[in-house]
């Protein structure tokens, strides 16, 4: 009679069965109150009665859970320190507080153990999860929302998590200190090593440029800023610079800088001749030497190092009779036995000074050794004693006698001079110092003195 405005139901007049005539939708009308008449066939006036039929529409899981929106997108720095990311919104049109609207969420793809979703649809990072731009720049999560109805219905939403890079990695070299040794003869352009620093950032933040910050004076080395090749810019001279300590940097595009130390030792090449402080050395020795005595020392040096700077000395010319020797290691010159100035006054020796490099380098210097005379012999009178007669009337200046002495020494030690040392108290006589001639210095008087006994000295 009433309660069915949309003609959802029909009733069989004979049996009273109520039937549906249209599809029901509980979400539109969940309760119908039908007023039903029951009429008999009595005449002339049928009798009837009424009853109310309450029809409760039971829910059927016919609504799929729906996301709104179906697509989510967020951007986060890779250093994001939080956990919460985004809240998903999913609804179900079935009856509330029933299994058909009891929703649950799960990530069905794209997770990689980094993300989780809770029972309310909040997406967050797991406790152990973290974002790393260098591993994944984009995460595409497919999150399923399903009800608990029968049959179980579900739908998926896509959540894009874009990871933004942060310059979090400083360039680092494999070693904090590198040690190299190169020869001082290395050619300009010689590549000592190619340095490599690692930076785990991507893009510009992971692009590295190399530079020498300090220690490259005076511009001895070059460093390719892109490849890291470290090479020789100029020729080397170990006598000027034997080692270098370079500070090398690696800078990424984001401004972070890593550093390392490069120690470069320059090994010696025998490229310097020995040098003496003079070209000719002059020494003296005495002729009375009877044992090995040092005469002098040659002062020489070599700017090279190691064996290339270690000197050896040898006499190559002039050592007649082997009268001299030289210490091969320190250049001390010795006379080894007696020498005589009367035989040879000056010895001229040629000394070779060589280093021990390979090949060896050498020079020659002249060493002059003068033999100094020694007064070894006393003068000896020839024909002594001497006797002379003179007339008392001899004039002053008359030569009375001639004495003569010789000396086996040489030069000034062999030159003799004469004097009267006794018997000439009245200075009657004079003696020539050089010739030994004795002459009368005053007149004689036979009656006063008939003889004189003179003692002469040479």
């Amino acid at each position: 009679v009433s309660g069915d405005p949309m003609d959802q139901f029909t009733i069989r007049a004979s049996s009273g069965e109520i039937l549906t005539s249209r599809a029901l939708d509980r979400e539109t009308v969940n309760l119908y109150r039908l007023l039903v008449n029951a009429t008999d066939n009595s005449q002339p006036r049928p009798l009837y009665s009424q009853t109310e039929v309450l029809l409760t529409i039971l829910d059927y899981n016919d609504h799929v859970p729906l996301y709104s929106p179906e697509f989510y997108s967020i951007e986060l720095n890779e250093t994001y320190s939080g956990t919460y990311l985004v809240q998903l919104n999913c609804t179900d049109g079935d009856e509330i507080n029933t299994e058909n609207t009891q929703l649950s969420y799960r990530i069905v793809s794209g997770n990689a153990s980094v993300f989780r979703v809770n029972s309310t649809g909040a997406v967050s990072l797991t406790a152990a999860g973290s974002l790393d731009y260098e591993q994944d720049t984009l995460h595409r999560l497919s999150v399923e929302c399903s009800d608990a109805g029968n049959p179980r219905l579900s739908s998926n939403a896509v959540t894009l998590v874009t990871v933004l890079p942060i310059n979090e990695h400083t360039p680092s070299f494999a070693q904090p200190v590198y040690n190299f040794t190169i020869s001082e003869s290395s050619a300009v352009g010689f590549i000592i090593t190619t340095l490599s620093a690692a930076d785990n950032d991507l893009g510009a933040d992971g692009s590295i440029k190399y530079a020498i910050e300090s220690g490259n004076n005076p511009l001895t080395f070059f460093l390719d800023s892109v490849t890291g090749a470290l090479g020789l810019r100029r020729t080397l001279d170990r006598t000027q610079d034997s080692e270098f300590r370079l500070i090398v940097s690696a800078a990424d595009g984001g401004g972070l800088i890593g550093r390392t130390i490069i120690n470069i030792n320059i090994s010696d090449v025998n490229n310097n001749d020995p040098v003496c402080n003079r070209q000719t050395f002059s020494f003296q020795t005495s002729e009375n030497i009877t044992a090995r005595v040092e005469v002098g020392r040659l002062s020489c040096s070599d700017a090279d190092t190691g064996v290339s700077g270690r000197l050896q000395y040898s006499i190559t010319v002039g050592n007649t009779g082997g009268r001299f020797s030289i210490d091969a290691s320190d250049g001390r010159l010795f006379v080894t036995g007696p020498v005589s100035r009367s035989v040879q006054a000056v010895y001229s020796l040629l000394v070779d000074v060589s280093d021990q490099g390979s090949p060896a380098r050498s020079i020659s210097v002249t060493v002059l050794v003068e033999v100094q005379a020694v007064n070894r012999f006393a003068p000896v009178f020839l024909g002594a004693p001497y006797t002379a007669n003179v007339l008392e009337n001899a004039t002053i200046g008359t030569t009375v006698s001639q004495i003569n002495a010789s000396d086996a020494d040489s030069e000034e030690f062999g030159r003799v001079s004469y004097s009267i040392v006794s018997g000439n108290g009245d200075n009657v006589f004079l003696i020539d110092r050089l010739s030994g001639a004795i002459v009368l210095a005053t007149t004689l008087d036979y009656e006063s003195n008939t003889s004189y006994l003179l003692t002469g000295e040479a």
Side-chain angles (χ1 to χ4, degrees), residues 23-83:
L24 301 177
D25 185 359
R26 185 191 180 284
E27 285 70 39
T28 301
V29 180
N30 61 4
L31 177 66
Y32 291 88
R33 293 177 178 272
L34 303 179
L35 187 61
V36 179
N37 284 341
T39 306
D40 61 18
N41 292 319
S42 63
Q43 293 295 330
R45 187 175 179 175
L47 299 175
Y48 70 93
S49 66
Q50 292 182 336
T51 188
E52 185 178 55
V53 178
L54 294 178
L55 293 178
T56 301
I57 308 304
L58 301 177
D59 189 35
Y60 176 75
N61 194 23
D62 59 347
H63 287 84
V64 175
L66 296 177
Y67 279 104
S68 178
E70 297 180 351
F71 180 83
Y72 298 82
S73 179
I74 58 174
E75 293 183 345
L76 296 171
N77 290 331
E78 61 178 326
T79 55
Y80 178 67
S81 59
T83 56

Side-chain angles (χ1 to χ4, degrees), residues 1-6 9 32-35:
V1 175
S2 64
D4 186 18
M6 299 178 65
F9 304 96
Y32 291 88
R33 293 177 178 272
L34 303 179
L35 187 61

Side-chain angles (χ1 to χ4, degrees), residues 208-224:
I208 295 176
K209 287 191 176 181
Y210 301 92
I212 300 174
E213 290 191 344
S214 65
N216 192 24
N217 294 321
L219 294 179
T220 305
F221 306 96
F222 66 82
L223 178 61
D224 191 297

Side-chain angles (χ1 to χ4, degrees), residues 2 14 29 40 46 56 64 118 132 144 147 162 184-185 188 244 307 323 327 349 374 382 388 395:
S2 64
S14 60
V29 180
D40 61 18
T56 301
V64 175
N118 66 10
D132 189 344
E144 178 189 81
D147 58 29
T162 302
E184 68 173 327
S185 63
V188 173
F244 294 86
V307 295
R323 289 183 173 85
D327 190 301
L349 309 176
V374 175
L382 304 177
T395 61

